């Protein structure tokens, strides 16, 4: 190894994939713009397909919060999801199998197991497949697709600019947050979503690109869809037990939170049991898909005939809106819709639809909460309980418990509804719901899919002190400088040197070739094998910078220098090895 210059010692050069935080921020803004446009295209594509399948017209005008009128071709509408499902299945099987399902687990898998690599064709296939699934009536949401689409855009741009692995992963998370922000008009919730579920590292260098991407995508989305929240909430008089908050009502939120946690766990179990049922069914994939989608068509057509609304088709926002505006409040009917939507979503994804589970989770939460609040109103009419209050809490509870994103669910609830009056109640319910779901099952609706592959996704975030230790605290002394030609002819005299040995620097002429373990009393007689390659570091540097340097250049060890010393063999005072770093990390975990 050649001597390192002083400038390289202070500011070690990066490989050709490294970019500054400014350049990274510019790329993140570009991701926000492209993802925002992608969200707009996806929404309009869903509109065109939905209007064609359900109204028989070509139009971009479709508001999911308004009930779809009855189809002009009567009972033949039950074939809409069948036709759409067949096309989706062909697209997914032919071009991008990872576009099947709700998408978020594939993004998490790419982040933790594939260095952020998402194939470019996933963006296009996911857009078409999800638009077809949602537009033709499958009971799935549009947030999963736009997350996968935004993440794919981030991955493609990150690799196009030859970013380092952590930077590509940051761009993937930024794309996911941008997709959420543009779709739901929830910039804060989108940032928290990326932080809670996507980013392996939470720091200024990762948070800044995510914030820029989500903020940019929010403005792009608002340019097309306006600044109104995703749902309108009816103005209603809340009882005094809610405002101001009464301590004796806290157990009520706890009880509902426990109920929501069980409901979220049940949703996860039913979803994956249904997928297992379809996967284990030894039949033609297109036949399985057709039968599953036909059952969806029959279900929402029966609901249309009996209630005047499709309810379980597509994202279900119209039904959620009806609950939040007080139009639907009958507890029994809301519980029925809860069960039917759970089954419809499970069958949709099990049969091969492409779409998310976030919107179905909102639906389930609104139905469960509305039923709970409606039941309380029937039992205690003099207290003034209202179904809307618990519907809002239920939306946050089911989403938080099923996805594991507790803080995200609370923040997104506020941004999607504009209602901040039930903050404490929502927090209590969500925390209880997440706790119950985790007690019943460690994995959430996203990580369950990955755990079945043997891919564990960490859910804890912990800071460790080893990264801020100084190198001088961990180095072993360097006791000599040996010429390579003076070593034994085999290069190794004794590899069993014991823990009391220290290190000598090995040179070949003016060049350092590595280090060897030696006995401090006589380094020339007994030594271990040459350890190489090696680099330089200053004794006052933090361990984190040493680890970064060793990882970037694949150094087996670092030669430690005093402050302002030139990087020469005779100036080396110590050696930092990978074993010493590993021991420091293990001590920190043990403590």
């Amino acid at each position: 190894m050649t001597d390192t210059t002083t400038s390289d010692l202070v500011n070690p050069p990066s490989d050709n994939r490294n970019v500054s935080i400014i350049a990274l921020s510019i790329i993140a803004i570009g991701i926000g713009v492209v993802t925002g446009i992608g969200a707009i295209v996806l929404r309009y594509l869903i509109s065109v397909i939905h209007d064609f399948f359900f109204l028989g017209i070509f139009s971009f005008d479709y508001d999911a919060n308004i009930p779809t009128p009855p189809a002009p071709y009567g009972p033949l509408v039950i074939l809409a999801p069948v036709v759409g499902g067949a096309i989706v299945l062909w697209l997914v099987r032919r071009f991008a199998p990872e576009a099947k399902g709700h998408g978020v687990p594939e993004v998490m898998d790419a982040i933790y197991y594939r260095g952020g690599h998402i194939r470019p064709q996933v963006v296009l296939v996911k857009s078409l497949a999800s638009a077809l699934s949602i537009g033709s009536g499958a009971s799935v949401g549009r947030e999963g697709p736009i997350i996968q689409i935004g993440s794919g855009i981030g991955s493609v741009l990150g690799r196009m600019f030859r970013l380092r692995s952590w930077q590509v992963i940051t761009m993937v998370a930024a794309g996911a947050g941008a997709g959420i922000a543009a779709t739901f008009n929830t910039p804060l919730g989108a940032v928290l979503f990326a932080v809670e579920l996507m980013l392996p590292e939470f720091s200024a260098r990762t948070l800044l690109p995510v914030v820029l991407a989500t903020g940019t995508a929010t403005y792009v989305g608002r340019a097309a869809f306006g600044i109104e929240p995703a749902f309108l909430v009816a103005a209603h008089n809340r009882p005094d037990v809610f405002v101001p908050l009464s301590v004796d009502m806290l157990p009520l939120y706890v009880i509902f939170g426990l109920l929501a946690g069980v409901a979220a766990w049940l949703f996860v179990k039913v979803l994956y049991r249904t997928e297992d049922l379809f996967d284990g069914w030894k039949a033609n994939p297109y036949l399985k898909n057709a039968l599953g989608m036909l059952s969806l068509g029959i279900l929402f057509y029966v609901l249309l005939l009996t209630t005047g609304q499709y309810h379980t088709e597509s994202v279900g926002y119209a039904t959620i809106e009806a609950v939040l505006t007080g139009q639907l409040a009958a507890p029994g009917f809301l519980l029925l819709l809860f069960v039917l939507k759970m089954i419809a979503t499970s069958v949709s994804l099990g049969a091969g639809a492409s779409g998310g589970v976030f919107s179905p989770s909102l639906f389930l939460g609104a139905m469960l909460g509305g039923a709970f609040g409606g039941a309380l109103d029937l039992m205690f009419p003099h207290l003034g309980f209202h179904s809307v209050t618990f519907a809002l809490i239920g939306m946050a509870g089911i989403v938080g418990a099923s996805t594991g994103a507790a803080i995200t669910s609370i923040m997104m609830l506020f941004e999607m509804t504009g209602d901040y009056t039930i903050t404490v109640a929502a927090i209590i319910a969500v925390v209880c719901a997440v706790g119950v779901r985790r007690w019943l099952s460690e994995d959430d609706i996203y990580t369950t899919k990955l755990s079945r592959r043997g891919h564990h996704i960490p859910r804890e975030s912990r800071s460790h002190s080893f990264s801020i230790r100084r190198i001088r605290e961990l180095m072993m002394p360097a006791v000599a400088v040996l010429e390579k030609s003076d070593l034994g002819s085999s290069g190794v005299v004794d590899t069993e040197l014991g823990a009391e040995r220290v290190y000598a620097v090995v040179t070949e002429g003016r060049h350092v070739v590595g280090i060897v373990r030696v006995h401090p009393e006589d380094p020339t007689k007994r030594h271990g094998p040459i350890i190489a390659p090696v680099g330089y570091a200053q004794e006052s540097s933090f361990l984190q910078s040493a680890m970064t340097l060793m990882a970037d250049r694949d150094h087996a060890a670092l030669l430690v220098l005093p402050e302002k010393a030139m990087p020469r063999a005779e100036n080396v005072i110590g050696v930092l090895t990978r074993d010493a770093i590993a021991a420091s990390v293990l001590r920190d975990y043990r403590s």
Side-chain angles (χ1 to χ4, degrees), residues 2 77 108 170 220 224 270 287 302 346 368 375 394 399-400 402 425 455 467 469 484 492 518:
T2 59
V77 73
M108 298 171 74
T170 301
V220 174
V270 170
L287 175 61
V302 170
S346 301
L368 183 67
V399 169
S402 61
H455 288 185
S467 61
R469 291 196 176 104
K484 185 178 180 182
V492 178
V518 297

Side-chain angles (χ1 to χ4, degrees), residues 379-427:
M379 291 185 292
F380 310 104
H382 59 286
L383 292 180
F385 287 110
H386 202 287
S387 59
V388 174
T389 303
F390 281 95
L392 292 169
I393 300 174
M395 291 166 67
I398 296 292
V399 169
S402 61
T403 64
I407 302 176
T408 300
S409 66
I410 296 170
M411 181 55 66
M412 288 191 68
L413 168 69
F414 300 149
E415 290 187 293
M416 293 176 71
T417 63
D419 193 325
Y420 290 82
T421 60
I422 54 172
T423 305
V424 176
I427 291 173

Side-chain angles (χ1 to χ4, degrees), residues 228-263:
E228 293 79 12
F231 298 106
L232 298 177
V233 180
H236 59 281
N237 294 323
R238 291 186 173 85
D240 291 338
V241 295
F242 286 98
V243 183
L245 184 68
S246 176
V247 175
D248 59 355
M249 298 307 296
L250 294 182
L252 194 61
Y253 311 138
V254 173
I255 293 172
F256 180 69
L258 299 178
L259 179 63
V262 174

Side-chain angles (χ1 to χ4, degrees), residues 80-123:
V82 178
V83 176
I87 302 174
V88 168
L89 185 61
W90 178 80
L91 285 172
V92 169
R93 288 169 59 88
R94 178 67 177 83
F95 299 105
E98 58 266 54
K100 176 186 177 183
H102 42 108
V104 177
E106 304 302 331
V107 176
M108 298 171 74
D109 191 62
I111 288 174
Y112 285 93
Y113 289 92
R114 298 199 301 274
H117 181 218
I118 299 175
R119 296 192 301 155
Q121 57 263 47
V122 172
V123 176

Side-chain angles (χ1 to χ4, degrees), residues 122 160 169:
V122 172
M160 180 186 301
I169 289 173

Side-chain angles (χ1 to χ4, degrees), residues 58-361:
F58 179 85
S59 173
F60 292 100
D61 185 18
Y62 167 53
D63 187 347
N65 290 42
I66 299 175
T68 302
Y73 20 82
L76 290 179
V77 73
I78 66 175
L79 298 178
V82 178
V83 176
I87 302 174
V88 168
L89 185 61
W90 178 80
L91 285 172
V92 169
R93 288 169 59 88
R94 178 67 177 83
F95 299 105
E98 58 266 54
K100 176 186 177 183
H102 42 108
V104 177
E106 304 302 331
V107 176
M108 298 171 74
D109 191 62
I111 288 174
Y112 285 93
Y113 289 92
R114 298 199 301 274
H117 181 218
I118 299 175
R119 296 192 301 155
Q121 57 263 47
V122 172
V123 176
L124 180 60
V125 174
K126 189 68 176 182
S127 301
L128 294 173
S130 297
L132 279 164
S133 291
I134 298 170
S136 63
S139 180
V140 290
R142 61 190 180 213
E143 86 298 328
I146 195 57
I147 288 172
Q148 196 168 10
I149 292 167
S151 299
I153 293 170
S155 176
V156 170
L157 289 180
R159 287 181 288 115
M160 180 186 301
F161 288 100
R162 295 183 57 78
L163 302 183
R164 300 174 63 187
S165 179
W166 73 265
Q167 294 170 333
V168 174
I169 289 173
T170 301
M171 295 300 101
V172 170
I180 286 283
T183 301
F184 291 115
N185 189 20
T186 56
L188 294 178
V191 171
L192 292 174
F193 178 88
V195 169
E196 279 197 286
L197 296 183
M198 297 292 168
L199 283 177
E201 173 194 335
F202 176 57
S203 62
R205 69 176 189 174
T206 59
L207 182 62
L208 180 59
V210 170
V211 170
L212 289 173
T214 53
T216 304
T218 301
Y219 277 104
V220 174
R222 286 176 177 177
F225 308 123
I227 63 174
E228 293 79 12
F231 298 106
L232 298 177
V233 180
H236 59 281
N237 294 323
R238 291 186 173 85
D240 291 338
V241 295
F242 286 98
V243 183
L245 184 68
S246 176
V247 175
D248 59 355
M249 298 307 296
L250 294 182
L252 194 61
Y253 311 138
V254 173
I255 293 172
F256 180 69
L258 299 178
L259 179 63
V262 174
W265 169 80
L266 182 64
F267 178 36
V268 176
K269 290 301 178 183
V270 170
L271 173 62
Y272 284 100
R273 290 289 178 88
T274 306
E275 287 191 355
D276 290 342
L277 181 64
F278 275 93
D279 291 340
W281 183 11
K282 304 301 180 182
N284 184 280
Y286 289 93
L287 175 61
K288 292 192 292 184
N289 180 271
L291 292 177
M293 297 302 169
L294 181 64
S295 67
L296 297 178
I298 293 173
L299 173 60
F300 65 61
Y301 185 67
V302 170
L303 286 172
L304 176 68
L305 295 179
T306 55
T307 68
Q309 191 171 330
Y310 290 110
H311 287 303
T312 58
E313 63 95 15
S314 193
V315 293
Y317 289 168
T319 303
I320 297 175
E321 191 70 80
V323 174
L324 297 183
T325 53
Q327 300 175 52
L328 287 179
F333 181 61
L334 295 181
L335 283 178
L336 175 63
L337 289 180
F338 173 88
V339 174
L340 294 179
K341 186 67 172 182
M342 182 185 298
I343 295 173
T345 301
S346 301
V347 171
S348 297
L349 293 172
S354 177
V357 294
F358 192 94
S359 294
S361 297

Side-chain angles (χ1 to χ4, degrees), residues 471-472 474-480 499-505 515-518 520 560 572-577:
I471 291 178
R472 68 168 68 96
L474 303 175
M475 71 180 189
M476 295 291 288
V479 297
E500 77 281 0
R501 305 294 166 146
V502 288
Y503 294 92
V505 180
I515 58 174
V516 290
R517 292 191 68 184
V518 297
V560 184
V572 175
I573 60 174
V575 173
L576 180 68
T577 64

